[in-house]
Amino acid sequence: MEPIDSALLDRFAEIVGVNHALRSPSDIEPFVMEPRGLWSGVTPLVLRPADVDEVSRILRLATETRTPIVPQGGNTGLVGGQMPDRSGREIVLSLSRLNRIREIDVLSNTITAEAGVVLETLQRQADAADRLFPLSLGAQGSCQIGGNLSSNAGGTGVLAYGNARELCLGVEVVLPTGEVLDDLRKLKKDNTGYDLKNLFIGAEGTLGVITAAVLKLFPKPKGKEVAWIGVESPAAALNLFSLASDRAGSGLTAFELMADIAVEFSVRHIPGNVRPLEGWPWYVLMEISSGRSSDDARDLIEHVLSEGFEAGLAGDAVIAANLAQASAFWRLRESLSESQKPEGASIKHDISVPVAAIPDFIAEAGKAVASVSAAARVVCFGHMGDGNLHYNVSQPVGVEPESFLKLYKPMNKAVHDVVRAHNGSISAEHGIGRLKCDELLATAPAIGIDLMRRVKAAFDPAGIMNPGKVI
């Protein structure tokens, strides 16, 4: 395949200016390798536009010349959706310079942010306005709002506040033709035809480029309490979740389930992490918030735990004594993924099943894993309140990583067969990208794939937007 003509590269570069059109290998390198090192690509050019007009001109030229474009945010995706392929014919479009907060409307409880705003920056801006933006991810220090929306990010706040799709009221999108859809409205109710924004949220940049969004804000809780709880089994955790939901209602803002081995890895490999409790096969991190007062939150979490102990659902618990200890509990939970890497190769599954099916799924998936590799170590943790588990399988001790990774396809199939048996999803919050594209095509209903292809053809007839991803 012929490389992109240098004269055409010059035309793209002129749009953003020479200082923001990266061509040297050292400048390009951070944009063609994702953090885990699983995906890499090749590109002759990284474009860093400054505004919507430059994005529009880039896409218009790309459609005219049929030049593939790969939109990229903070490059924290885990399924390769933000990576160019290795042909050298795809141009990376980085949204990092579109990083303005355009407006904070406290009365409407909205914030309007450009796609390149880092999630943690947006959280802090909301906090400074005495509001809460509840999307919370382990990568929040580097992921960007455009990528969060394009992948429909989840995280630890979904239980109470919903995922990225539910936090978005309106979007600004540049279409492959260069046309701009300005739908930056703050409306909570709008029944005027198709909800176009939801075509772009979760589309992973295959239909257009999200350049800005209106996002929901919430009143900051007046009180928040966090508890670390030891439980005997996922079934006990599920019943404790049901109890907490009944007693706390919308005040239950997080309920995270963790296998002991996941906690062990995190304490072993992440400096500063300390076990809050010892001796339990499973742990729960529970957060209860109150809009009234800190005393109300404390009373509520103590009441839930007291009932949990009486019912035999909770074995032991520690309520964070202060903000620092609460942060330490959360740091331990959020470093679970990172801590697996020193243990060697890992075959990861980002799945969801109905909440009631979680205990059965864990038991059945454990047997399925053992049928592929008897000594493999299951590292299971996730957002029990919304049914999303990170069901990861670490290599057996003493086995070479390359040898274990040869089991990727049979292991993947074994776990995903159990997921499908429970009417679950093979991708709960990470997206499809390159990693799961073939499996989606092989297992999704034929009419569903056909409809997605029709949508793709309608929006992107030249096929320039993030080719090879999703479908």
Side-chain angles (χ1 to χ4, degrees):
M1 187 176 292
E2 292 294 321
I4 301 177
D5 182 74
S6 61
L8 179 56
L9 294 178
D10 290 341
R11 292 176 65 189
F12 278 109
E14 286 172 5
I15 295 172
V16 299
V18 64
N19 292 333
H20 301 291
L22 310 180
R23 295 197 187 191
S24 74
S26 59
D27 289 339
I28 286 174
E29 184 177 6
F31 298 88
V32 294
M33 179 67 73
E34 52 88 43
R36 293 188 301 172
L38 298 180
W39 301 99
S40 63
V42 176
T43 184
L45 182 64
V46 175
L47 298 173
R48 301 179 64 241
D51 54 34
V52 176
D53 179 65
E54 289 184 0
V55 176
S56 173
R57 291 164 61 195
I58 289 167
L59 294 192
R60 188 180 306 118
L61 178 58
T63 291
E64 289 172 1
T65 59
R66 295 188 174 269
T67 305
I69 299 292
V70 178
Q72 189 178 109
N75 192 15
T76 61
L78 300 176
V79 293
Q82 76 280 25
M83 285 289 107
D85 65 16
R86 300 194 62 80
S87 70
R89 291 193 52 80
E90 297 182 352
I91 290 176
V92 172
L93 177 66
S94 169
L95 281 299
S96 59
R97 292 179 66 214
L98 277 75
N99 58 6
R100 293 186 303 124
I101 301 290
R102 295 187 185 175
E103 180 193 48
I104 298 178
D105 183 344
V106 174
L107 294 178
S108 297
N109 273 323
T110 63
I111 184 168
T112 303
E114 293 182 341
V117 173
V118 172
L119 174 56
E120 194 168 72
T121 299
L122 191 145
Q123 293 169 341
R124 289 174 178 168
Q125 291 291 315
D127 184 69
D130 197 33
R131 290 294 184 268
L132 170 72
F133 183 66
L135 186 64
S136 181
L137 310 170
Q140 62 193 30
S142 53
C143 65
Q144 297 171 8
I145 291 301
N148 297 151
L149 291 170
S150 293
S151 60
N152 190 26
T156 56
V158 172
L159 171 62
Y161 300 102
N163 54 22
R165 186 186 303 279
E166 294 165 288
L167 295 173
C168 183
L169 293 172
V171 293
E172 176 185 81
V173 181
V174 180
L175 303 177
T177 57
E179 297 167 288
V180 178
L181 170 65
D182 184 349
D183 191 28
L184 290 174
R185 292 185 287 180
K186 305 174 185 178
L187 303 178
K188 301 288 178 69
K189 290 184 175 180
D190 180 11
N191 253 342
T192 53
Y194 302 133
D195 189 347
L196 295 175
K197 73 176 182 297
N198 276 317
L199 285 172
F200 300 99
I201 298 172
E204 302 184 48
T206 60
L207 301 179
V209 176
I210 296 174
T211 50
V214 178
L215 303 162
K216 296 179 185 177
L217 298 179
F218 297 83
K220 290 168 64 176
K222 300 294 190 297
K224 185 182 292 184
E225 296 290 338
V226 179
W228 189 276
I229 309 161
V231 297
E232 287 286 0
S233 66
L238 177 62
N239 288 325
L240 181 62
F241 169 69
S242 179
L243 170 66
S245 297
D246 287 344
R247 301 299 181 267
S250 61
L252 180 63
T253 46
F255 198 95
E256 301 288 300
L257 178 69
M258 299 157 281
D260 177 67
I261 188 173
V263 178
E264 177 188 337
F265 286 178
S266 187
V267 171
R268 182 186 304 168
H269 297 297
I270 307 300
N273 280 356
V274 178
R275 277 182 176 272
L277 290 174
E278 297 269 3
W280 296 94
W282 293 87
Y283 295 95
V284 164
L285 189 155
M286 180 171 69
E287 179 184 270
I288 289 180
S289 302
S290 170
R292 290 189 288 270
S293 68
S294 56
D295 287 343
D296 182 61
R298 185 75 178 196
D299 290 345
L300 191 51
I301 203 167
E302 288 179 348
H303 181 66
V304 169
L305 289 173
S306 178
E307 285 199 51
F309 288 135
E310 290 178 9
L313 305 179
D316 199 0
V318 177
I319 301 176
N322 48 47
L323 182 60
Q325 190 173 31
S327 296
F329 289 178
W330 273 112
R331 184 173 62 249
L332 181 53
R333 160 62 186 91
E334 289 168 350
S335 60
L336 296 184
S337 292
E338 176 188 354
S339 65
Q340 286 179 254
K341 192 170 184 178
E343 292 290 327
S346 180
I347 300 174
K348 300 181 184 296
H349 308 90
D350 164 45
I351 65 93
S352 65
V353 295
V355 173
I358 285 177
D360 287 342
F361 166 79
I362 291 174
E364 294 165 20
K367 294 176 182 177
V369 167
S371 71
V372 178
S373 173
R377 298 169 293 171
V378 174
V379 184
C380 178
F381 59 93
H383 321 300
M384 188 168 199
D386 57 45
N388 174 202
L389 295 175
H390 301 292
Y391 193 87
N392 302 336
V393 185
S394 284
Q395 68 178 62
V397 175
V399 170
E400 289 298 317
E402 295 78 11
S403 175
F404 180 65
L405 289 176
K406 291 178 181 177
L407 299 176
Y408 178 87
K409 287 187 177 180
M411 186 71 75
N412 201 244
K413 182 180 186 303
V415 173
H416 285 169
D417 281 351
V418 180
V419 172
R420 282 186 281 268
H422 288 281
N423 292 315
S425 169
I426 63 169
S427 181
E429 62 179 3
H430 293 164
I432 298 298
R434 289 163 60 182
L435 179 65
K436 300 179 181 180
C437 187
D438 290 344
E439 186 165 7
L440 175 68
L441 295 175
T443 60
I447 183 62
I449 295 297
D450 182 56
L451 288 171
M452 284 193 279
R453 283 178 169 153
R454 290 190 220 175
V455 171
K456 170 72 171 173
F459 280 85
D460 182 25
I464 66 159
M465 295 304 307
N466 217 7
K469 318 295 170 47
V470 185
I471 56 169

